[in-house]
Structure formats: structure tokens, C-alpha cells
Amino acid sequence: MALVELARFYNSFEAGLARSRLASEGIESFIFDMEMSWDGMGILIPIRLMVDDEDRDEAAGLLID
């Protein structure tokens, strides 16, 4: 399994929503850098949604809908 970045988010709610959408279709995903975005300190590091490279096209299509 090789993980690739599917999307970037700047808040945890949107990242979790996207991950839930993928899970509802049976696509496993992982959230990276959830705790790295410190908005109160002015440091914004995007939260990355990662999927298996074999699932990328299908997962991207689901998030567009």
C-alpha cells in the first residue's frame, strides 16, 4: 500500500467529513497532521487526507460529488 495525498483541509471538521464520506463507500483513508495546525498561533499547516494510490481516482470522484 502506497499512500498518496487526496486533499488538504484547514479545519478538522471538513477533513473528518471527507473521511466519513470515503468510509461510507468502503474506501480506507487516513488523516495526517491533524494536530499540527495551530490557528491561534498563526501557524497553519494543512490537514492531509491520504488514500491508497489504487483508490485515488475513485476517492477523488466521491469528494467532487
Side-chain angles (χ1 to χ4, degrees), residues 25-41:
E25 297 294 327
I27 297 175
E28 188 173 19
S29 62
F30 304 91
I31 293 179
F32 285 10
D33 304 324
M34 178 76 81
E35 303 299 324
M36 296 302 295
S37 186
W38 301 325
D39 189 30
M41 298 182 69

Side-chain angles (χ1 to χ4, degrees), residues 11-23:
N11 69 63
S12 59
F13 178 76
E14 290 179 354
L17 190 62
R19 184 170 188 218
S20 293
R21 173 71 173 115
L22 297 179

Side-chain angles (χ1 to χ4, degrees), residues 46-63:
I47 299 166
R48 298 178 291 152
L49 181 63
M50 310 293 284
V51 296
D52 188 297
D53 61 348
E54 294 176 2
D55 294 330
R56 184 177 188 181
D57 293 337
E58 181 181 359
L62 290 170
L63 292 187

